[in-house]
Amino acid sequence: MINTIYKPKDSRIWRWKFRLKPEDSKIQDVSLGTSDKQVAEKKRSELLREKEHERAGLIPPKAARDSAQRKLTEHLQEFLGDLRRRGKSEKYLANLEFRVGRLITGCGWNLAKDVTADSFQTWLRGHGELKDKTANDYLEAIRCFFNWLVKLGRAGSNPLISVEKVKSKDGKAVEIRALSDDEMLRLLAVAGERKLVYLMAVHTGLRSSELAALKWGDLHLDAVTPFVKVRASTTKNGKSAEMRLLPELAEELNKLKDCGVMNTEPVFESIPRIERFRRDLIRAGIAPTDSNGRKAVFHSLRHTFGTNLARGGVGSRVAMSLMRHSDRRLTDKVYTDENLLGTWAAFDALPNYSERASQIASQILGAEGQSESLAVTTSGGVKVVKTIANIGESHVLTPLVTSGHNIENGGSGGARTRNLCRDRAAL
């Protein structure tokens, strides 16, 4: 153990050099902030006792004690700055700041010690209008924040680690369905000024947040093949994407674009919210919830895009790329509506065993009724060799020689080859 105070040359301030255990990685050297040796000795004793209590777990580390006196809002800004340096998208950071900030205000949390599982659940009970998924998003946000505090030693533990996620009423997530071609046509017919938003969503699969973030500069309508480039900062996976624009969609966007529009201006002034979309469905004669309990919401347009790719015969790997999914199963099982795939039409591709079986049966039964045995041939059928010509006045005809007949034993494969010279001599 090293434990000594000293005064460096050309300095009036005493310093403490220490290493509590031999296995400690390095010797630490701290200023005692005084030129009086007695005061320095007293401070050393206090710091030594503090270090030993920290090592024994009697008190939290100094970093945690200091951070405990700082407001959570200060920690939050440093947390967001750390995530920004690590390359997290601005959309992700904005959602995180909003949710954690709302909890800090709503739960009355000022310092880290104020955060408890009970206060969070009390706040959650007071906001019963939140969807199950939204409530879980708030829980994940605050957990992520406190995990960062614990990692940096600013908090001793995560007080929300024991809080369980909210489960839906029936234990299952709400199932979203795709729209049929007829339903899509009826929706577009009543959409009015929202028609282009719906058309963009169903032809590109862009999410509502991605559509809201689109700028005119993201659209390349003058390209040989018009396309939209979705910026990485606006996507869910934090990656940029390029989506081709079909001619009808590019034409509608060109009509909407004014000559003097700036590239930084949003393409769509607003994205229909759930109630607005629901009213459009009802006007179009589309049930918001079908007989199986599946719901039609704005995100159904993305499901329709994925289902239309499957109906068009697009390979699942290509569809996964266009949907920007990391797992092909998500594309195939969740975003492909099997009710619209026309699965019954697939039965037309099955072979007709009954008709072919009847043909084969007639051949087999006909063969069994013959008294003579069938000729043995090779797989290529009977191959007739030229008949040997009669020589002189003899009228004895030479038998036909066929490939595969066993005339006599011997020779290659059990058949002896006829000697033509000998036959001529005999004739």
Side-chain angles (χ1 to χ4, degrees), residues 75 85 92 102 116 129 138 152 193 223 240 245 247 314 381 394:
H75 290 300
R85 287 190 296 272
Y92 174 80
R102 187 181 179 188
T116 62
E129 75 281 0
Y138 275 93
L152 295 187
E193 61 184 9
S240 63
L245 300 176
V314 177
S394 173

Side-chain angles (χ1 to χ4, degrees), residues 356-371:
R356 294 180 62 186
S358 299
Q359 295 173 357
I360 295 174
S362 62
Q363 294 176 5
I364 295 175
L365 294 176
E368 289 179 349
Q370 296 177 1
S371 57

Side-chain angles (χ1 to χ4, degrees), residues 223-236:
V224 177
T225 302
F227 69 96
V228 55
K229 185 171 183 179
V230 190
R231 285 167 283 120
S233 60
T234 67
T235 60
K236 185 177 181 180

Side-chain angles (χ1 to χ4, degrees), residues 175-378:
E175 187 176 357
I176 299 175
R177 71 178 183 91
L179 301 181
S180 66
D181 291 343
D182 177 65
E183 289 174 329
M184 208 52 232
L185 290 172
R186 283 187 282 148
L187 177 63
L188 293 174
V190 303
E193 61 184 9
R194 295 173 296 282
K195 176 182 176 180
L196 188 53
V197 181
Y198 296 157
L199 204 60
M200 187 77 170
V202 79
H203 279 331
T204 62
L206 294 181
R207 302 173 178 88
S208 59
S209 59
E210 295 167 343
L211 291 170
L214 276 184
K215 308 291 184 183
W216 282 110
D218 300 327
L219 302 181
H220 299 266
L221 302 176
D222 297 330
V224 177
T225 302
F227 69 96
V228 55
K229 185 171 183 179
V230 190
R231 285 167 283 120
S233 60
T234 67
T235 60
K236 185 177 181 180
N237 61 3
K239 298 179 181 178
S240 63
E242 293 183 358
M243 308 293 292
R244 176 187 163 192
L245 300 176
L246 294 182
E248 63 167 323
L249 181 55
E251 182 180 352
E252 293 290 337
L253 288 168
N254 269 316
K255 292 179 183 178
L256 179 65
K257 185 177 181 180
D258 295 329
C259 296
V261 70
M262 302 291 291
N263 286 339
T264 55
E265 294 182 25
V267 177
F268 305 110
E269 294 182 0
S270 63
I271 304 299
R273 294 186 177 274
I274 184 170
E275 288 302 325
R276 175 72 266 182
F277 187 79
R278 181 184 177 88
R279 287 197 295 269
D280 285 343
L281 289 176
I282 295 174
R283 286 182 60 199
I286 302 171
T289 304
D290 66 6
S291 58
N292 295 322
R294 302 182 307 156
K295 294 185 177 296
V297 294
F298 187 90
H299 204 63
S300 294
L301 302 179
R302 180 169 166 81
H303 284 250
T304 306
F305 173 68
T307 302
N308 287 342
L309 292 176
R311 290 171 59 196
V314 177
S316 62
R317 182 61 185 85
V318 176
M320 183 188 84
S321 178
L322 293 175
M323 295 292 292
R324 292 168 291 131
H325 287 154
S326 58
D327 191 338
R328 191 181 301 182
R329 291 173 296 181
L330 183 62
T331 306
D332 293 342
K333 293 185 178 181
V334 178
Y335 283 86
T336 300
D337 194 331
E338 63 180 14
N339 295 295
L340 301 179
L341 292 181
T343 52
W344 280 31
F347 286 92
D348 295 334
L350 299 178
N352 188 335
Y353 288 119
S354 179
E355 181 180 348
R356 294 180 62 186
S358 299
Q359 295 173 357
I360 295 174
S362 62
Q363 294 176 5
I364 295 175
L365 294 176
E368 289 179 349
Q370 296 177 1
S371 57
E372 66 277 8
S373 61
L374 298 176
V376 180
T377 64
T378 61

Side-chain angles (χ1 to χ4, degrees), residues 86 146-155:
R86 287 156 55 186
F146 257 88
N147 285 339
W148 179 80
L149 291 176
V150 173
K151 182 179 179 180
L152 295 187
R154 299 187 181 191

